[in-house]
Short mmCIF file of all heavy atoms in Angstrom, two decimals:
data_model
loop_
_atom_site.label_atom_id
_atom_site.label_comp_id
_atom_site.label_asym_id
_atom_site.label_seq_id
_atom_site.Cartn_x
_atom_site.Cartn_y
_atom_site.Cartn_z
N GLY A 1 125.72 114.19 107.93
CA GLY A 1 124.41 114.27 108.57
C GLY A 1 123.87 112.91 109.00
O GLY A 1 123.14 112.81 109.99
N PHE A 2 124.25 111.85 108.28
CA PHE A 2 123.73 110.51 108.58
C PHE A 2 124.24 109.95 109.91
O PHE A 2 123.75 108.93 110.39
CB PHE A 2 124.12 109.54 107.44
CG PHE A 2 125.60 109.31 107.33
CD1 PHE A 2 126.21 108.24 107.99
CD2 PHE A 2 126.40 110.16 106.57
CE1 PHE A 2 127.57 108.03 107.90
CE2 PHE A 2 127.77 109.94 106.47
CZ PHE A 2 128.36 108.88 107.14
N THR A 3 125.23 110.60 110.51
CA THR A 3 125.79 110.11 111.77
C THR A 3 125.07 110.66 113.00
O THR A 3 125.44 110.35 114.12
CB THR A 3 127.29 110.47 111.88
OG1 THR A 3 127.43 111.90 111.90
CG2 THR A 3 128.07 109.91 110.71
N HIS A 4 124.04 111.47 112.78
CA HIS A 4 123.33 112.11 113.89
C HIS A 4 121.84 111.73 113.88
O HIS A 4 121.22 111.69 112.82
CB HIS A 4 123.47 113.62 113.81
CG HIS A 4 124.90 114.09 113.84
ND1 HIS A 4 125.60 114.23 115.02
CD2 HIS A 4 125.76 114.42 112.84
CE1 HIS A 4 126.84 114.63 114.74
NE2 HIS A 4 126.95 114.76 113.42
N SER A 5 121.29 111.48 115.07
CA SER A 5 119.86 111.17 115.17
C SER A 5 119.11 112.25 115.95
O SER A 5 117.90 112.23 116.03
CB SER A 5 119.63 109.82 115.85
OG SER A 5 119.73 109.91 117.26
N TYR A 6 119.85 113.19 116.56
CA TYR A 6 119.27 114.30 117.32
C TYR A 6 118.28 113.82 118.39
O TYR A 6 117.19 114.34 118.54
CB TYR A 6 118.59 115.29 116.37
CG TYR A 6 119.55 115.88 115.38
CD1 TYR A 6 119.66 115.36 114.10
CD2 TYR A 6 120.40 116.94 115.74
CE1 TYR A 6 120.59 115.88 113.19
CE2 TYR A 6 121.32 117.47 114.84
CZ TYR A 6 121.41 116.93 113.57
OH TYR A 6 122.32 117.44 112.68
N GLY A 7 118.72 112.81 119.14
CA GLY A 7 117.91 112.30 120.24
C GLY A 7 116.96 111.18 119.88
O GLY A 7 116.42 110.51 120.77
N LEU A 8 116.75 110.93 118.58
CA LEU A 8 115.82 109.89 118.15
C LEU A 8 116.25 108.52 118.66
O LEU A 8 115.41 107.70 119.04
CB LEU A 8 115.71 109.87 116.63
CG LEU A 8 114.89 108.73 116.02
CD1 LEU A 8 113.45 108.76 116.53
CD2 LEU A 8 114.92 108.81 114.49
N GLU A 9 117.56 108.27 118.70
CA GLU A 9 118.04 106.96 119.15
C GLU A 9 117.59 106.69 120.59
O GLU A 9 117.28 105.55 120.95
CB GLU A 9 119.56 106.91 119.05
CG GLU A 9 120.13 105.52 119.27
CD GLU A 9 121.59 105.40 118.89
OE1 GLU A 9 122.27 106.44 118.74
OE2 GLU A 9 122.05 104.26 118.74
N THR A 10 117.52 107.72 121.42
CA THR A 10 117.04 107.56 122.79
C THR A 10 115.56 107.22 122.81
O THR A 10 115.11 106.35 123.56
CB THR A 10 117.28 108.85 123.62
OG1 THR A 10 118.64 109.26 123.46
CG2 THR A 10 116.99 108.61 125.09
N TYR A 11 114.77 107.94 122.00
CA TYR A 11 113.33 107.66 121.92
C TYR A 11 113.07 106.20 121.54
O TYR A 11 112.18 105.55 122.08
CB TYR A 11 112.67 108.56 120.88
CG TYR A 11 112.36 109.96 121.35
CD1 TYR A 11 113.27 111.00 121.17
CD2 TYR A 11 111.15 110.26 121.96
CE1 TYR A 11 112.98 112.29 121.59
CE2 TYR A 11 110.84 111.55 122.38
CZ TYR A 11 111.77 112.56 122.19
OH TYR A 11 111.48 113.84 122.62
N ILE A 12 113.88 105.69 120.61
CA ILE A 12 113.70 104.31 120.15
C ILE A 12 114.17 103.32 121.21
O ILE A 12 113.50 102.32 121.47
CB ILE A 12 114.46 104.11 118.82
CG1 ILE A 12 113.79 104.94 117.71
CG2 ILE A 12 114.49 102.63 118.42
CD1 ILE A 12 114.56 104.98 116.40
N THR A 13 115.30 103.61 121.84
CA THR A 13 115.81 102.75 122.90
C THR A 13 114.81 102.61 124.04
O THR A 13 114.64 101.54 124.63
CB THR A 13 117.14 103.30 123.45
OG1 THR A 13 118.11 103.35 122.40
CG2 THR A 13 117.68 102.43 124.58
N LYS A 14 114.10 103.70 124.36
CA LYS A 14 113.12 103.69 125.45
C LYS A 14 111.75 103.16 125.00
O LYS A 14 110.80 103.12 125.81
CB LYS A 14 112.99 105.11 126.03
CG LYS A 14 114.22 105.55 126.80
CD LYS A 14 114.02 106.94 127.41
CE LYS A 14 115.21 107.33 128.26
NZ LYS A 14 115.36 106.46 129.45
N GLY A 15 111.62 102.79 123.72
CA GLY A 15 110.37 102.22 123.24
C GLY A 15 109.28 103.24 122.99
O GLY A 15 108.11 102.87 122.83
N ILE A 16 109.62 104.51 122.93
CA ILE A 16 108.63 105.56 122.68
C ILE A 16 108.29 105.62 121.19
O ILE A 16 107.13 105.72 120.79
CB ILE A 16 109.14 106.93 123.18
CG1 ILE A 16 109.39 106.86 124.70
CG2 ILE A 16 108.15 108.04 122.85
CD1 ILE A 16 110.14 108.06 125.25
N VAL A 17 109.32 105.57 120.36
CA VAL A 17 109.14 105.43 118.91
C VAL A 17 109.41 103.96 118.61
O VAL A 17 110.54 103.49 118.76
CB VAL A 17 110.10 106.34 118.12
CG1 VAL A 17 109.94 106.11 116.62
CG2 VAL A 17 109.84 107.81 118.47
N LYS A 18 108.37 103.24 118.18
CA LYS A 18 108.51 101.78 118.07
C LYS A 18 107.87 101.17 116.82
O LYS A 18 108.03 99.98 116.56
CB LYS A 18 107.90 101.12 119.30
CG LYS A 18 106.44 101.46 119.57
CD LYS A 18 105.97 100.79 120.85
CE LYS A 18 104.50 101.06 121.14
NZ LYS A 18 104.26 102.46 121.50
N ASP A 19 107.15 101.98 116.05
CA ASP A 19 106.52 101.47 114.84
C ASP A 19 106.26 102.63 113.88
O ASP A 19 106.63 103.78 114.17
CB ASP A 19 105.21 100.74 115.16
CG ASP A 19 104.27 101.56 116.04
OD1 ASP A 19 104.37 102.81 116.00
OD2 ASP A 19 103.44 100.97 116.76
N SER A 20 105.63 102.34 112.76
CA SER A 20 105.40 103.38 111.74
C SER A 20 104.52 104.51 112.26
O SER A 20 104.76 105.69 111.96
CB SER A 20 104.77 102.76 110.49
OG SER A 20 105.64 101.84 109.89
N LYS A 21 103.51 104.15 113.05
CA LYS A 21 102.60 105.17 113.57
C LYS A 21 103.33 106.14 114.50
O LYS A 21 103.20 107.36 114.37
CB LYS A 21 101.43 104.52 114.31
CG LYS A 21 100.43 105.51 114.88
CD LYS A 21 99.30 104.81 115.62
CE LYS A 21 98.32 105.82 116.21
NZ LYS A 21 97.22 105.15 116.96
N SER A 22 104.08 105.60 115.45
CA SER A 22 104.80 106.46 116.39
C SER A 22 105.94 107.21 115.69
O SER A 22 106.28 108.33 116.08
CB SER A 22 105.35 105.64 117.56
OG SER A 22 106.16 104.58 117.13
N ALA A 23 106.51 106.62 114.64
CA ALA A 23 107.56 107.30 113.87
C ALA A 23 106.99 108.53 113.17
O ALA A 23 107.61 109.60 113.17
CB ALA A 23 108.17 106.35 112.85
N LYS A 24 105.80 108.38 112.60
CA LYS A 24 105.16 109.52 111.93
C LYS A 24 104.80 110.61 112.95
O LYS A 24 105.01 111.80 112.69
CB LYS A 24 103.89 109.07 111.20
CG LYS A 24 103.21 110.21 110.45
CD LYS A 24 101.92 109.76 109.78
CE LYS A 24 101.23 110.94 109.10
NZ LYS A 24 99.94 110.56 108.48
N GLU A 25 104.28 110.22 114.10
CA GLU A 25 103.92 111.19 115.15
C GLU A 25 105.16 111.94 115.62
O GLU A 25 105.12 113.15 115.85
CB GLU A 25 103.25 110.47 116.32
CG GLU A 25 101.86 109.93 115.99
CD GLU A 25 101.28 109.08 117.11
OE1 GLU A 25 102.03 108.77 118.06
OE2 GLU A 25 100.09 108.71 117.03
N TYR A 26 106.25 111.19 115.79
CA TYR A 26 107.50 111.82 116.22
C TYR A 26 107.99 112.81 115.16
O TYR A 26 108.35 113.95 115.50
CB TYR A 26 108.57 110.75 116.45
CG TYR A 26 109.94 111.31 116.69
CD1 TYR A 26 110.33 111.76 117.94
CD2 TYR A 26 110.86 111.40 115.64
CE1 TYR A 26 111.60 112.29 118.15
CE2 TYR A 26 112.13 111.93 115.84
CZ TYR A 26 112.49 112.37 117.10
OH TYR A 26 113.74 112.90 117.30
N ALA A 27 108.00 112.40 113.91
CA ALA A 27 108.47 113.26 112.82
C ALA A 27 107.62 114.53 112.73
O ALA A 27 108.15 115.64 112.59
CB ALA A 27 108.43 112.50 111.50
N LYS A 28 106.30 114.37 112.82
CA LYS A 28 105.39 115.52 112.76
C LYS A 28 105.65 116.48 113.91
O LYS A 28 105.74 117.70 113.72
CB LYS A 28 103.94 115.05 112.79
CG LYS A 28 102.90 116.15 112.69
CD LYS A 28 101.50 115.56 112.65
CE LYS A 28 100.44 116.65 112.50
NZ LYS A 28 100.40 117.56 113.66
N SER A 29 105.80 115.94 115.11
CA SER A 29 106.05 116.78 116.28
C SER A 29 107.38 117.52 116.19
O SER A 29 107.48 118.69 116.56
CB SER A 29 106.03 115.92 117.55
OG SER A 29 104.74 115.40 117.78
N MET A 30 108.39 116.83 115.68
CA MET A 30 109.71 117.45 115.55
C MET A 30 109.66 118.65 114.60
O MET A 30 110.24 119.70 114.89
CB MET A 30 110.72 116.43 115.06
CG MET A 30 111.21 115.49 116.14
SD MET A 30 112.18 116.35 117.42
CE MET A 30 113.58 116.89 116.46
N LEU A 31 108.98 118.50 113.48
CA LEU A 31 108.88 119.60 112.53
C LEU A 31 108.08 120.77 113.10
O LEU A 31 108.49 121.92 113.02
CB LEU A 31 108.22 119.13 111.23
CG LEU A 31 108.98 118.12 110.37
CD1 LEU A 31 108.16 117.79 109.12
CD2 LEU A 31 110.35 118.65 109.97
N GLU A 32 106.95 120.43 113.71
CA GLU A 32 105.99 121.43 114.14
C GLU A 32 106.38 122.14 115.43
O GLU A 32 106.15 123.35 115.58
CB GLU A 32 104.62 120.75 114.32
CG GLU A 32 103.45 121.69 114.32
CD GLU A 32 102.14 120.95 114.20
OE1 GLU A 32 102.12 119.69 114.26
OE2 GLU A 32 101.09 121.63 114.07
N TYR A 33 106.99 121.42 116.37
CA TYR A 33 107.23 121.99 117.69
C TYR A 33 108.70 122.21 118.04
O TYR A 33 109.00 122.85 119.05
CB TYR A 33 106.58 121.10 118.76
CG TYR A 33 105.10 120.95 118.56
CD1 TYR A 33 104.54 119.71 118.27
CD2 TYR A 33 104.25 122.06 118.64
CE1 TYR A 33 103.16 119.57 118.07
CE2 TYR A 33 102.88 121.93 118.43
CZ TYR A 33 102.35 120.70 118.15
OH TYR A 33 101.00 120.56 117.94
N SER A 34 109.59 121.70 117.22
CA SER A 34 111.01 121.90 117.48
C SER A 34 111.69 122.63 116.31
O SER A 34 112.20 123.73 116.47
CB SER A 34 111.72 120.57 117.74
OG SER A 34 113.10 120.77 117.97
N PHE A 35 111.68 122.03 115.14
CA PHE A 35 112.39 122.58 113.99
C PHE A 35 111.87 123.96 113.61
O PHE A 35 112.65 124.86 113.28
CB PHE A 35 112.26 121.61 112.81
CG PHE A 35 113.33 121.79 111.76
CD1 PHE A 35 114.63 121.37 112.00
CD2 PHE A 35 113.03 122.36 110.53
CE1 PHE A 35 115.62 121.53 111.03
CE2 PHE A 35 114.00 122.52 109.57
CZ PHE A 35 115.30 122.11 109.82
N PHE A 36 110.57 124.14 113.64
CA PHE A 36 109.95 125.42 113.27
C PHE A 36 110.47 126.57 114.13
O PHE A 36 110.74 127.67 113.62
CB PHE A 36 108.43 125.32 113.41
CG PHE A 36 107.69 126.60 113.17
CD1 PHE A 36 107.55 127.11 111.88
CD2 PHE A 36 107.13 127.32 114.22
CE1 PHE A 36 106.86 128.30 111.64
CE2 PHE A 36 106.44 128.51 113.99
CZ PHE A 36 106.30 129.00 112.70
N TYR A 37 110.63 126.32 115.42
CA TYR A 37 111.06 127.37 116.34
C TYR A 37 112.58 127.49 116.46
O TYR A 37 113.08 128.46 117.01
CB TYR A 37 110.48 127.10 117.74
CG TYR A 37 108.99 127.22 117.80
CD1 TYR A 37 108.18 126.08 117.74
CD2 TYR A 37 108.37 128.45 117.90
CE1 TYR A 37 106.80 126.18 117.79
CE2 TYR A 37 106.99 128.57 117.95
CZ TYR A 37 106.21 127.43 117.89
OH TYR A 37 104.84 127.54 117.93
N ASN A 38 113.28 126.48 115.96
CA ASN A 38 114.73 126.47 116.12
C ASN A 38 115.46 126.55 114.78
O ASN A 38 115.59 127.64 114.25
CB ASN A 38 115.13 125.25 116.95
CG ASN A 38 114.71 125.41 118.40
OD1 ASN A 38 115.37 126.07 119.18
ND2 ASN A 38 113.57 124.82 118.79
N ASP A 39 115.92 125.45 114.23
CA ASP A 39 116.78 125.53 113.05
C ASP A 39 116.12 126.25 111.86
O ASP A 39 116.79 127.01 111.15
CB ASP A 39 117.24 124.15 112.62
CG ASP A 39 118.46 123.70 113.42
OD1 ASP A 39 118.94 124.48 114.26
OD2 ASP A 39 118.94 122.57 113.20
N ALA A 40 114.83 126.03 111.64
CA ALA A 40 114.16 126.73 110.54
C ALA A 40 114.09 128.23 110.83
O ALA A 40 114.24 129.06 109.92
CB ALA A 40 112.76 126.16 110.32
N ALA A 41 113.86 128.58 112.08
CA ALA A 41 113.83 129.99 112.48
C ALA A 41 115.23 130.61 112.36
O ALA A 41 115.37 131.77 111.94
CB ALA A 41 113.33 130.13 113.91
N PHE A 42 116.27 129.83 112.70
CA PHE A 42 117.64 130.33 112.57
C PHE A 42 117.99 130.53 111.10
O PHE A 42 118.67 131.49 110.73
CB PHE A 42 118.62 129.34 113.21
CG PHE A 42 118.32 129.00 114.64
CD1 PHE A 42 118.68 127.77 115.16
CD2 PHE A 42 117.67 129.91 115.47
CE1 PHE A 42 118.41 127.45 116.48
CE2 PHE A 42 117.39 129.59 116.80
CZ PHE A 42 117.76 128.35 117.29
N PHE A 43 117.50 129.62 110.26
CA PHE A 43 117.66 129.76 108.80
C PHE A 43 117.03 131.08 108.34
O PHE A 43 117.66 131.85 107.61
CB PHE A 43 116.98 128.57 108.11
CG PHE A 43 116.95 128.65 106.60
CD1 PHE A 43 117.82 127.90 105.83
CD2 PHE A 43 116.02 129.47 105.95
CE1 PHE A 43 117.78 127.97 104.43
CE2 PHE A 43 115.97 129.55 104.57
CZ PHE A 43 116.86 128.79 103.81
N HIS A 44 115.81 131.32 108.77
CA HIS A 44 115.09 132.53 108.35
C HIS A 44 115.82 133.80 108.80
O HIS A 44 115.94 134.76 108.02
CB HIS A 44 113.67 132.53 108.90
CG HIS A 44 112.92 133.79 108.61
ND1 HIS A 44 112.40 134.09 107.36
CD2 HIS A 44 112.61 134.85 109.41
CE1 HIS A 44 111.82 135.28 107.40
NE2 HIS A 44 111.92 135.76 108.63
#
């Protein structure tokens, strides 16, 4: 699992995720708007 960033590396390369604040916002958004509807839903 540690070999995958699931697109995060692109966000960082483009300067979108660049500090602790943006990292938290990204993590929150991923859980709430992506993971919930996808992998967590597939789990369920």
Side-chain angles (χ1 to χ4, degrees):
F2 65 93
T3 63
H4 302 278
S5 80
Y6 300 97
L8 173 59
E9 190 168 16
T10 310
Y11 279 92
I12 292 172
T13 299
K14 290 183 176 294
I16 299 169
V17 177
K18 57 183 182 291
D19 51 26
S20 296
K21 181 181 178 181
S22 56
K24 182 182 177 183
E25 290 173 351
Y26 171 82
K28 182 177 182 295
S29 294
M30 281 294 295
L31 293 181
E32 199 168 7
Y33 301 116
S34 179
F35 201 73
F36 175 74
Y37 294 99
N38 289 279
D39 277 358
F42 305 151
F43 174 103
H44 175 76

